[in-house]
């Protein structure tokens, strides 16, 4: 009981802390808007990638950089892609536009503080002094004083869209939904959040279909989550009728249909959905020392979130592309982005770098378990809460649109 009371106190403290951080950022941005001047030839801070980590890094920077600097964001996608609603909209029709949020409004910086480039980075040339330049796929070279890698990871639906435009992303969701609707035996490989949510939603939407979830570990999710959440998931999966196959890593046959051989028996599929093997988008950093990469290809970083290669002290990384912490989610990405922005400004001013340490509350997770139910998991290493609640079909889409400064679901981009 004492541990749960202490956890409650910690949650309240975090709420107050985050409210204060947002308030302080708003006040600082108002002051910054009055004092900032880009200058005739501003020095560039280039942010590559504008998902949760990169977009928030850019927002913090445009509201804090000294005069004479500007933020250049290079992002390949036409819209911000809200990944955590993708499993739901792979199953339920009528919401294909909602994961795609127009870019721009979230930055809210003073005039001249930012430049947006819709393109990919084809090459990075760091200089001997730590500064360098990047080349876009269109061939444009952009000099940088500081570089932020927030390139995330790659995967297919339901984890990622693998489409750069809103229209292509909506088509991908539609095609995935058609495959599910036409199938009778659905097999989901991977018991992470996306796999769990899609399996539960598919069974709730199509109760007469066979839905099987295969996971390589004995318990779902990873070691960052406790036994109470695992039990809650198992109970709800059983209630829905999803067949769970833990502790299996079978070979997957080629073809649209087939049979997967298990340690005991086999399972037939006519729709196979892979929710495994997200790959970090780190290949453009090939010039780093090999020790700066983990075995999985993630970029190793210092506590300051500078890359773990002393030759490149002006390069930072954040989000899913880095090797760090048990939790890879929006909360951690936002915290990392804020730390990167603070450290770049501190570096410009000749101040000591601050350290990022992943905090317990960054692991707070909300999982959908069918179309009408979700659970929120909160744990601090001593106590666990699993809070069940209802949910809307569109999940938290409108709240995120508003948070990013856009009216739900108004898109004036023409895309």
């Amino acid at each position: 009981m004492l541990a749960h009371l202490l956890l409650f106190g910690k949650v309240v403290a975090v709420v107050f802390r985050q409210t204060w951080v947002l308030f302080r950022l708003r006040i600082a941005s108002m002051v910054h808007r009055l004092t900032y001047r880009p200058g005739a030839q501003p020095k560039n801070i280039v942010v590559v990638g504008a998902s949760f980590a990169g977009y928030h890094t850019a927002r913090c920077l445009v509201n804090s950089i000294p005069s004479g600097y500007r933020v250049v964001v290079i992002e390949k996608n036409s819209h911000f892609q809200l990944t955590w609603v993708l499993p739901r909209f792979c199953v339920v029709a009528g919401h294909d536009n909602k994961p795609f949020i127009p870019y721009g409004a979230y930055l809210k910086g003073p005039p001249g503080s930012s430049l947006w480039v819709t393109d990919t980075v084809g090459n990075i040339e760091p200089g001997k002094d730590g500064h360098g330049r990047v080349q876009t796929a269109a061939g444009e070279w952009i000099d940088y004083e500081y570089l932020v890698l927030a390139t995330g990871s790659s995967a297919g639906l339901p984890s990622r869209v693998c489409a750069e435009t809103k229209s292509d992303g909506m088509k991908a969701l539609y095609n995935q939904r058609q495959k599910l609707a036409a199938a009778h035996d659905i097999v989901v490989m991977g018991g992470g959040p996306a796999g769990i949510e899609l399996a539960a939603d598919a069974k709730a939407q199509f109760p007469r279909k066979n839905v099987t979830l295969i996971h390589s570990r004995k318990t779902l999710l990873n070691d960052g989550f406790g036994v109470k959440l695992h039990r809650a998931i198992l109970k709800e999966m059983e209630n829905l009728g999803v067949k769970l196959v833990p502790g299996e890593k079978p070979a997957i046959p080629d073809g649209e249909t087939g049979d997967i051989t298990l340690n005991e028996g086999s399972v037939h599929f006519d729709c196979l959905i892979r929710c495994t093997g997200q790959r970090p988008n780190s290949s453009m950093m090939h010039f780093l020392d090999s020790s700066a990469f983990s075995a999985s290809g993630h970029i190793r970083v210092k506590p300051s979130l500078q890359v773990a290669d002393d030759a490149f002290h002006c390069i930072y990384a954040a989000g899913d592309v880095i090797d760090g912490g048990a939790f890879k989610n929006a909360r951690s990405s936002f915290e990392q982005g804020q730390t990167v922005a603070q450290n770049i400004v501190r570096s410009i001013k000749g101040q000591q770098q601050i350290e990022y340490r992943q905090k317990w509350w960054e692991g707070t997770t909300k999982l959908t378990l069918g179309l009408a139910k979700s659970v929120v998991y909160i744990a601090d290493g001593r106590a666990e809460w699993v809070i069940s609640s209802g949910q809307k079909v569109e999940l938290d889409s409108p709240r995120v649109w508003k948070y990013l400064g856009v009216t739900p679901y108004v898109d004036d981009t023409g895309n």
Side-chain angles (χ1 to χ4, degrees):
M1 177 62 73
L2 178 59
H4 285 275
L5 289 174
L6 290 174
L7 177 56
F8 176 79
K10 288 182 178 180
V11 170
V12 172
V14 168
V15 171
F16 276 105
R17 173 190 176 275
Q18 293 304 99
T19 302
W20 167 247
V21 168
L22 291 174
F23 175 76
R24 188 177 61 187
L25 177 62
R26 180 169 295 183
I27 297 299
S29 66
M30 293 171 62
V31 175
H32 184 258
R33 183 176 290 273
L34 297 175
T35 59
Y36 170 82
R37 298 294 183 272
Q41 293 182 318
K43 297 177 181 179
N44 294 326
I45 302 170
V46 174
V47 179
V48 183
S51 189
F52 288 106
Y55 207 10
H56 192 60
T57 300
R59 173 186 168 89
C60 293
L61 282 169
V62 298
N63 286 292
S64 60
I65 51 174
S67 293
Y69 286 82
R70 71 171 176 179
V71 179
V72 179
V73 180
I74 305 176
E75 166 56 46
K76 65 179 181 178
N77 295 325
S78 67
H79 289 66
F80 182 93
Q81 297 180 358
L82 181 57
T83 54
W84 73 56
V85 301
L86 296 176
R88 168 60 51 86
F89 301 149
C90 282
V91 176
V92 180
H95 306 274
D96 290 350
N97 63 310
K98 295 176 182 177
F100 306 100
I101 306 173
Y103 274 123
Y106 188 60
L107 289 186
K108 299 179 181 177
S113 63
S114 66
L115 173 66
W116 194 278
V117 179
T118 303
D119 205 340
T120 58
V121 171
N123 190 25
I124 299 175
E125 286 189 359
K128 294 182 179 180
D129 58 354
H131 312 304
R133 61 179 186 166
V134 301
Q135 185 182 34
T136 66
E140 179 185 4
W141 285 99
I142 301 173
D143 294 331
Y144 68 80
E145 294 292 306
Y146 295 89
L147 177 65
V148 181
L149 270 295
T151 47
S153 59
S154 296
L157 284 171
S159 299
R160 300 289 187 272
V161 179
C162 285
E164 295 180 6
T165 66
K166 176 182 177 180
S167 58
D168 286 345
M170 292 176 65
K171 290 176 184 176
L173 286 171
Y174 173 82
N175 291 337
Q176 182 64 77
R177 201 163 50 247
Q178 292 301 105
K179 291 179 182 179
L180 285 168
H184 185 265
D185 299 306
I186 300 168
V187 173
V188 180
M189 296 293 300
I196 291 169
E197 293 183 329
L198 187 133
D201 282 0
K203 188 62 178 178
Q205 181 79 344
F206 307 110
R208 294 186 180 181
K209 298 181 187 292
N210 299 318
V211 179
T212 303
L213 176 61
I214 301 176
H215 189 51
S216 60
R217 299 161 58 96
K218 289 294 184 181
T219 57
L220 299 173
L221 302 173
N222 62 32
D223 293 335
F225 301 94
V227 66
K228 284 189 176 181
L229 179 58
H230 180 68
R231 288 173 181 169
I233 295 170
L234 291 181
K235 180 181 178 181
E236 200 56 37
M237 289 294 194
E238 182 179 353
N239 292 339
L240 288 167
V242 176
K243 180 182 178 182
L244 292 177
V245 182
E248 295 267 7
K249 198 172 183 179
I252 306 300
D254 296 329
E256 295 294 324
T257 65
D259 294 283
I260 298 174
T261 301
L262 305 172
N263 290 334
E264 295 184 7
S266 63
V267 58
H268 179 74
F269 70 89
D270 53 12
C271 181
L272 178 65
I273 301 174
R274 292 177 173 85
C275 300
T276 59
Q278 292 189 25
R279 302 173 304 281
N281 298 321
S282 58
S283 60
M284 69 180 68
M285 300 296 289
H286 57 85
F287 54 84
L288 295 178
D289 187 83
S290 59
S291 63
F293 296 93
S294 69
S296 61
H298 290 85
I299 298 173
R300 291 195 171 107
V301 293
K302 301 175 182 179
S304 60
L305 297 179
Q306 294 162 299
V307 296
D309 187 332
D310 290 338
F312 305 105
H313 61 278
C314 293
I315 301 179
Y316 295 76
D320 286 358
V321 75
I322 71 169
D323 177 41
F327 312 117
K328 290 188 179 297
N329 55 29
R331 291 180 184 83
S332 290
S333 294
F334 271 39
E335 287 296 300
Q336 292 163 17
Q338 185 170 300
T339 301
V340 167
Q342 289 175 315
N343 277 338
I344 289 175
V345 172
R346 294 177 74 87
S347 177
I348 293 171
K349 296 179 178 180
Q351 299 173 349
Q352 184 177 356
Q353 302 280 277
I354 61 174
E355 294 186 354
Y356 166 79
R357 305 288 182 185
Q358 196 165 71
K359 295 168 280 293
W360 62 270
W361 56 265
E362 292 176 38
T364 300
T365 300
K366 185 176 183 179
L367 280 176
T368 64
L369 296 174
L371 300 178
K373 185 175 182 180
S374 64
V375 294
V376 176
Y377 177 75
I378 305 173
D380 65 351
R382 297 183 179 182
E384 300 175 79
W385 287 351
V386 178
I387 306 168
S388 298
S389 65
Q391 62 182 355
K392 296 180 179 180
V393 173
E394 62 186 357
L395 302 176
D396 292 328
S397 301
R399 181 173 64 85
V400 179
W401 278 67
K402 291 177 182 177
Y403 186 83
L404 295 182
V406 187
T407 302
Y409 299 101
V410 177
D411 186 353
D412 296 326
T413 64
N415 296 312

